[in-house]
Amino acid sequence: MSIHFACTLCGKCCRSMKLPLTTGEAEAWLLDDNELQVICEALPEMPEAVADDQRAAYRRRRAFAAHSGQLTIQVVAILAANIGGACPHLQPDLRCGIYERRPLVCRIYPAEINPFRELQTAAKACPPEAWSQERPLLRHHGELVDAHLRTLIREYRDRDAQDAERRRRLCAALGLDHAAIADEGFVVYSPSRSQWRRALAVSAEVLGPDAPAAPWHLVTNRRATLADLTTRAADIVARRATDALAGPAPAWEFLSFLADDL
Ligand code: SF4
Ligand code: SF4
């Protein structure tokens, strides 16, 4: 099916979201005094038959190796702008205040950066008229028509893969060590600006052999996952996404895609 599109400059996509950023973009985002989070998910080591799965290969490309108990895992740590209402760069006339240096994901929207996520017009913030048949072709026979857009997506994926090691050092510097299971949900950390500044400075330096990698804890709200990973000797944390928070706010929150099953 062909998809036509032209941006109407409605500004709706610049509100209430988590915006994935490259490491360089994340540094700029912090310099602008904005909020930054780390979204963590982990892929437990796969049996060989599944290890060839292309989706898993895409995740592994952007992940770093780690361990949880006796289990080898791949951790995907996404640096994300945390935008609660309107983006701090959205201007009153709905234009972007940092247009010339806006993040790659903003340039790519409404196309997808994830090759395994189908572009669903209904899932996008754009109004119906943005997708009218009179607009230029965005996608035809399953391919994006605009070569520049394809280049931007490739650039994002390449940077994402190249930055994985830096993100590993960032997680270590920030003391992050919990991740949700891929496809079950995310663990989201919200470090303070001062924690970020220190971690970015520390993680930018590679001063010889790294210290041994810190162990990670895998978080789940699913009984079957808990049983499976316990038999594989992982360090697993059972946590219902709906659990009320007791006492001081935890260092991380668990956003599950699935209903609690514990
Ligand atoms: S940086 Fe610009 S384009 Fe991106 S969300 Fe903010 S206002 Fe929108
Ligand atoms: S929601 Fe869609 S139409 Fe509106 S500004 Fe964003 S990209 Fe353009």
Side-chain angles (χ1 to χ4, degrees):
M1 188 188 78
S2 295
I3 297 179
H4 297 248
F5 175 76
C7 179
T8 64
L9 301 177
C10 71
K12 285 187 184 153
C13 59
C14 302
R15 296 171 188 276
S16 306
M17 60 174 155
K18 297 191 190 297
L19 195 69
L21 301 174
T22 66
T23 309
E25 290 168 349
E27 285 175 310
W29 197 258
L30 275 176
L31 279 176
D32 288 335
D33 215 21
N34 296 322
E35 263 185 59
L36 191 63
Q37 295 181 319
V38 189
I39 300 173
C40 300
E41 62 174 5
L43 276 171
E45 193 178 45
M46 296 280 177
E48 265 177 39
V50 188
D52 281 340
D53 176 83
Q54 293 206 334
R55 208 151 165 254
Y58 168 69
R59 277 209 178 99
R60 275 201 301 275
R61 186 169 179 249
R62 54 198 304 240
F64 54 83
H67 69 278
S68 172
Q70 303 299 311
L71 187 67
T72 303
I73 59 172
Q74 301 283 329
V75 177
V76 178
I78 302 162
L79 308 185
N82 183 31
I83 300 177
C87 173
H89 296 296
L90 187 64
Q91 302 299 293
D93 65 359
L94 301 182
R95 291 181 184 272
C96 175
I98 55 165
Y99 187 79
E100 296 303 327
R101 60 181 180 91
R102 68 198 187 287
L104 276 167
V105 166
C106 301
R107 296 165 194 260
I108 290 166
Y109 193 91
E112 297 287 355
I113 50 174
N114 184 332
F116 299 97
R117 189 171 299 153
E118 189 67 17
L119 171 56
Q120 304 277 358
T121 57
K124 298 293 174 179
C126 314
E129 59 269 29
W131 309 103
S132 131
Q133 295 290 309
E134 281 72 54
R135 307 287 190 179
L137 263 178
L138 174 68
R139 206 182 66 173
H140 191 50
H141 293 317
E143 294 289 332
L144 291 169
V145 171
D146 184 344
H148 180 59
L149 183 56
R150 294 200 302 269
T151 302
L152 289 177
I153 294 171
R154 209 165 35 243
E155 185 183 338
Y156 178 89
R157 289 179 193 158
D158 288 347
R159 282 205 216 170
D160 196 27
Q162 288 155 12
D163 282 353
E165 168 57 20
R166 173 83 190 279
R167 292 196 299 268
R168 184 188 69 75
R169 298 200 302 270
L170 260 177
C171 287
L174 286 164
L176 314 190
D177 58 3
H178 285 74
I181 310 296
D183 293 327
E184 286 194 3
F186 295 121
V187 163
V188 181
Y189 284 93
S190 305
S192 66
R193 288 181 181 81
S194 60
Q195 287 171 321
W196 269 116
R197 276 192 282 276
R198 184 190 151 275
L200 281 163
V202 169
S203 67
E205 300 168 18
V206 185
L207 302 171
D210 277 328
W216 280 71
H217 313 282
L218 302 177
V219 183
T220 187
N221 61 347
R222 308 294 292 175
R223 206 175 314 167
T225 306
L226 183 63
D228 174 40
L229 292 178
T230 302
T231 60
R232 296 164 76 185
D235 182 341
I236 183 98
V237 176
R239 167 76 176 261
R240 286 182 299 183
T242 50
D243 275 349
L245 303 178
W252 49 270
E253 64 175 319
F254 177 38
L255 302 181
S256 177
F257 307 148
L258 306 171
D260 287 333
D261 178 34
L262 288 173

Tab-separated table of all heavy atoms in Angstrom, residues 5 7-11 13 109 125-127, ligand 2:
chain	number	residue	atom	x	y	z
A	5	PHE	N	2.309	11.679	2.250
A	5	PHE	CA	2.457	12.465	3.480
A	5	PHE	C	3.092	13.826	3.183
A	5	PHE	O	3.988	13.949	2.359
A	5	PHE	CB	3.360	11.728	4.478
A	5	PHE	CG	3.657	12.531	5.718
A	5	PHE	CD1	2.695	12.664	6.708
A	5	PHE	CD2	4.870	13.178	5.880
A	5	PHE	CE1	2.950	13.426	7.841
A	5	PHE	CE2	5.145	13.934	7.008
A	5	PHE	CZ	4.176	14.055	7.992
A	7	CYS	N	3.997	17.208	6.040
A	7	CYS	CA	3.819	17.753	7.384
A	7	CYS	C	2.947	19.010	7.330
A	7	CYS	O	3.137	19.874	6.463
A	7	CYS	CB	5.189	18.097	7.964
A	7	CYS	SG	5.089	18.815	9.603
A	8	THR	N	1.990	19.092	8.237
A	8	THR	CA	1.105	20.260	8.290
A	8	THR	C	1.578	21.285	9.329
A	8	THR	O	0.899	22.279	9.575
A	8	THR	CB	-0.328	19.838	8.667
A	8	THR	OG1	-0.301	19.288	9.985
A	8	THR	CG2	-0.893	18.813	7.700
A	9	LEU	N	2.710	20.978	9.979
A	9	LEU	CA	3.274	21.843	11.031
A	9	LEU	C	2.302	22.024	12.202
A	9	LEU	O	2.236	23.091	12.805
A	9	LEU	CB	3.672	23.221	10.460
A	9	LEU	CG	4.700	23.207	9.323
A	9	LEU	CD1	4.942	24.618	8.818
A	9	LEU	CD2	5.999	22.579	9.777
A	10	CYS	N	1.571	20.959	12.516
A	10	CYS	CA	0.601	21.058	13.610
A	10	CYS	C	1.274	21.003	14.980
A	10	CYS	O	0.668	21.369	15.985
A	10	CYS	CB	-0.449	19.956	13.495
A	10	CYS	SG	0.206	18.312	13.867
A	11	GLY	N	2.497	20.476	15.054
A	11	GLY	CA	3.247	20.437	16.318
A	11	GLY	C	2.832	19.331	17.266
A	11	GLY	O	3.354	19.215	18.372
A	13	CYS	N	3.410	16.139	17.184
A	13	CYS	CA	4.419	15.109	17.460
A	13	CYS	C	5.481	15.608	18.434
A	13	CYS	O	6.358	14.853	18.846
A	13	CYS	CB	5.080	14.644	16.161
A	13	CYS	SG	5.876	15.978	15.257
A	109	TYR	N	10.685	11.419	11.745
A	109	TYR	CA	9.242	11.273	11.998
A	109	TYR	C	8.433	11.803	10.813
A	109	TYR	O	8.804	12.813	10.238
A	109	TYR	CB	8.871	12.058	13.261
A	109	TYR	CG	7.500	11.743	13.794
A	109	TYR	CD1	7.315	10.741	14.726
A	109	TYR	CD2	6.386	12.452	13.344
A	109	TYR	CE1	6.040	10.437	15.206
A	109	TYR	CE2	5.113	12.149	13.824
A	109	TYR	CZ	4.956	11.146	14.757
A	109	TYR	OH	3.702	10.855	15.232
A	125	ALA	N	0.885	10.955	15.346
A	125	ALA	CA	0.185	12.137	15.851
A	125	ALA	C	-0.362	13.019	14.721
A	125	ALA	O	-1.181	13.905	14.958
A	125	ALA	CB	1.144	12.960	16.720
A	126	CYS	N	0.067	12.765	13.507
A	126	CYS	CA	-0.269	13.648	12.382
A	126	CYS	C	-1.781	13.625	12.083
A	126	CYS	O	-2.407	12.558	12.138
A	126	CYS	CB	0.477	13.202	11.134
A	126	CYS	SG	2.217	12.841	11.451
A	127	PRO	N	-2.347	14.768	11.744
A	127	PRO	CA	-3.787	14.814	11.441
A	127	PRO	C	-4.081	14.131	10.100
A	127	PRO	O	-3.179	13.973	9.272
A	127	PRO	CB	-4.078	16.320	11.360
A	127	PRO	CG	-2.777	16.941	11.007
A	127	PRO	CD	-1.699	16.071	11.606
B	2	SF4	S1	2.406	15.553	13.967
B	2	SF4	FE1	2.901	15.102	11.822
B	2	SF4	S2	1.950	16.778	10.686
B	2	SF4	FE2	2.069	17.447	12.813
B	2	SF4	S3	4.058	18.532	12.980
B	2	SF4	FE3	4.446	16.407	13.522
B	2	SF4	S4	5.115	15.453	11.593
B	2	SF4	FE4	4.077	17.367	11.050
